[in-house]
Amino acid sequence: MSDPKTSPSRRAFLQGAATGALTLGATAASAQTPDPLITEKQPWATGLGDGVDATPYGLPIQYEGDVIRRNVPWLTADPISSINFTPIHALDGTITPQGCAFERHHSGAIELRKEDYRLMVNGDVGQQLIFSYADLERFPRENHVYFCECAANTGMEWAGAQLNGAQFTHGMIHNMEYSGVPLKTLLEEAGYDTAADPTGKWVYVEGADASSNGRSIPMEKALEDCLVAFKANGEALRKEHGYPVRLVVPGWEGNMWVKWLRRIEVMDHPVESREETSKYTDTLADGTARKWTWVMDAKSVVTSPSPQSPITHGKGPLVITGLAWTGHGKITRVDVSKDGGMSWETARLAAEPGNKSLVRFYLDTEWDGEEMFLQSRAMDETGYVQPTKTQLREVRGLNSVYHNNCIQTWWVKPNGEAENVEVS
């Protein structure tokens, strides 16, 4: 297959665009006709702009005002215990701005001052300790980029195509650079022997909000890569993301990333809390439930073209792009299909995939104006291949809500609009 980046058609397009010899689609103006946006002086070039202190904390320009988190009002009874969605269809790269990153609350986002923050480490440790925010800042810290995905991401798609937009089907995810102290460091400070066999040991982590959201984490994971984080993307955590301190549990479902972290208890058994029994378990066809399904398996989605990001430029060069991720480590490959999975092309990864973080993929191609059934399929370093809905249903049935990592299909119509459909 020829490289679409250097194919004659793409070169012709680029050269034509530079010389004015080519018209892109039905709406582009030929350079042979004077363009007043080029030939006439515009208002923005005739006066002074804003001063450096016009917005002391920088905000997006008004023309990007539609790139916002959105919720689905009928999804939950009340927005206090609800979720909203990252506008992944409108973003590029991999780092999610905090102001766009999805949020999930069980009793609302609380306001907790750094000065009032306390973190207790108790249970089976050498000595029970209480850390202030200032205490945490004195420990050696690390920086890591990780994705955080709600276990219910894509959950509404189990029974068939439901919501018409990548933001709503796959937007319960964000990818940020977290700064903080390894959980292992704090356990060592409390006298826990991190060199001992961790088998049978657990930590129970709990938040300070009214829901007292708590989860049990095997000690192996607690010592491996969990982070007690107080910064994201270089700045303080946002209130909705657990300010001033949250737990980061790389590659595992977002409910375990406890916000407003207040307590870490070392135990010799799991607590079996509400959030790991009646919730966040996967109900199978026979009514039994899969237990301890923490890891988020390999998954991907095309973000553009998609229902909220249609093709508007007509026939010709087209960039198909999306995101891939895995809780098992690194993505190794992403394939894209234009015909509903009958044939596949290997996409270009924009950068070296990180560990348990999003990777951006691109397929630079040509669109002839015909309909497409766009899909993406991710593979990770364990050899795992993202499944179809049919493959998932054969194992899990139709009762599940959580951990739906199926291949998603967008039906791109000849007019460039896209719709969520099921091609299993």
Side-chain angles (χ1 to χ4, degrees):
M1 183 180 69
S2 64
D3 184 349
K5 293 180 289 185
T6 58
S7 64
S9 59
R10 183 168 288 272
R11 284 202 304 271
F13 166 75
L14 295 173
Q15 292 169 356
T19 61
L22 181 70
T23 298
L24 178 57
T27 59
S30 169
Q32 298 175 10
T33 302
D35 185 343
L37 288 171
I38 295 176
T39 61
E40 298 178 11
K41 184 158 286 193
Q42 301 302 317
W44 53 81
T46 59
L48 301 177
D50 290 336
V52 294
D53 287 331
T55 52
Y57 188 91
L59 299 173
I61 195 167
Q62 60 178 320
Y63 309 118
E64 296 296 322
D66 195 48
V67 183
I68 56 173
R69 295 180 290 219
R70 293 178 173 84
N71 74 341
V72 177
W74 51 261
L75 185 60
T76 56
D78 192 288
I80 294 298
S81 180
S82 191
I83 195 162
N84 61 19
F85 304 80
T86 302
I88 58 173
H89 65 286
L91 304 178
D92 212 318
T94 58
I95 297 296
T96 312
Q98 282 205 71
C100 286
F102 93 99
E103 50 182 306
R104 168 72 166 112
H105 312 312
H106 293 266
S107 56
I110 64 173
E111 294 200 5
L112 175 58
R113 299 193 316 156
K114 287 189 291 188
E115 293 81 0
D116 296 330
Y117 177 77
R118 298 294 184 269
L119 172 60
M120 179 192 306
V121 179
N122 68 333
D124 189 11
V125 293
Q127 59 175 331
Q128 300 188 33
L129 297 177
I130 295 177
F131 300 100
S132 67
Y133 184 89
D135 292 333
L136 295 179
E137 287 191 309
R138 298 179 66 184
F139 285 95
R141 71 191 69 165
E142 297 180 0
N143 298 275
H144 298 282
V145 176
Y146 294 124
F147 76 83
C148 175
E149 182 182 17
C150 180
N153 200 21
T154 320
M156 287 172 283
E157 302 296 305
W158 270 108
Q162 299 291 325
L163 299 176
N164 212 32
Q167 180 172 19
F168 302 113
T169 60
H170 290 74
M172 295 184 195
I173 191 168
H174 62 241
N175 192 64
M176 298 197 283
E177 182 190 49
Y178 289 97
S179 304
V181 180
L183 176 53
K184 179 179 179 180
T185 300
L186 299 184
L187 293 175
E188 289 175 337
E189 186 72 9
Y192 180 78
D193 184 4
T194 58
D197 183 0
T199 304
K201 288 292 186 179
W202 296 72
V203 295
Y204 182 71
V205 292
E206 184 180 60
D209 60 317
S211 73
S212 296
N213 179 37
R215 291 296 300 263
S216 305
I217 301 175
M219 184 60 75
E220 294 94 330
K221 180 64 174 177
L223 299 179
E224 178 189 7
D225 56 7
C226 289
L227 195 69
V228 176
F230 40 79
K231 304 284 185 183
N233 295 346
E235 63 178 351
L237 293 169
R238 297 291 176 89
K239 177 175 73 172
E240 63 268 28
H241 297 135
Y243 178 92
V245 177
R246 80 173 304 166
L247 186 67
V248 170
V249 188
W252 288 23
E253 61 188 24
N255 181 258
M256 305 183 81
W257 295 45
V258 171
K259 296 186 285 190
W260 312 290
L261 181 66
R262 68 176 292 269
R263 187 164 69 93
I264 302 166
E265 183 173 357
V266 177
M267 313 178 75
D268 59 7
H269 62 276
V271 168
E272 308 266 8
S273 69
R274 173 184 181 273
E275 304 301 335
E276 53 201 20
T277 53
S278 66
K279 304 297 180 184
Y280 296 96
T281 54
D282 306 313
T283 306
L284 302 178
D286 62 1
T288 61
R290 296 198 312 160
K291 189 177 182 181
W292 306 138
T293 54
W294 303 298
V295 182
M296 305 306 292
D297 290 323
K299 189 171 178 180
S300 67
V301 64
V302 172
T303 55
S304 180
S306 65
Q308 294 167 284
S309 182
I311 301 172
T312 59
H313 54 59
K315 301 178 183 179
L318 172 68
V319 176
I320 298 171
T321 186
L323 297 166
W325 59 95
T326 176
H328 293 285
K330 297 181 180 181
I331 291 292
T332 55
R333 174 174 151 186
V334 180
D335 293 339
V336 172
S337 177
K338 304 173 194 171
D339 52 20
M342 291 187 291
S343 64
W344 297 89
E345 299 176 63
T346 298
R348 171 173 59 89
L349 302 185
E352 180 66 26
N355 180 47
K356 299 165 189 169
S357 64
L358 299 187
V359 63
R360 171 70 58 177
F361 64 85
Y362 297 105
L363 183 69
D364 307 312
T365 187
E366 299 282 327
W367 185 49
D368 60 7
E370 298 295 321
E371 70 176 7
M372 297 185 290
F373 290 90
L374 281 181
Q375 297 180 338
S376 62
R377 179 180 66 187
M379 287 150 264
D380 68 25
E381 60 185 346
T382 69
Y384 182 93
V385 180
Q386 183 180 359
T388 64
K389 280 188 179 180
T390 297
Q391 290 171 327
L392 276 181
R393 288 169 179 158
E394 288 173 352
V395 177
R396 308 262 297 277
L398 292 173
N399 293 330
S400 286
V401 173
Y402 306 109
H403 296 274
N404 183 357
N405 65 319
C406 69
I407 291 174
Q408 174 68 42
T409 307
W410 305 127
W411 172 32
V412 179
K413 306 173 185 179
N415 65 1
E417 294 177 354
E419 182 178 333
N420 180 9
V421 298
E422 180 168 338
V423 176
S424 298

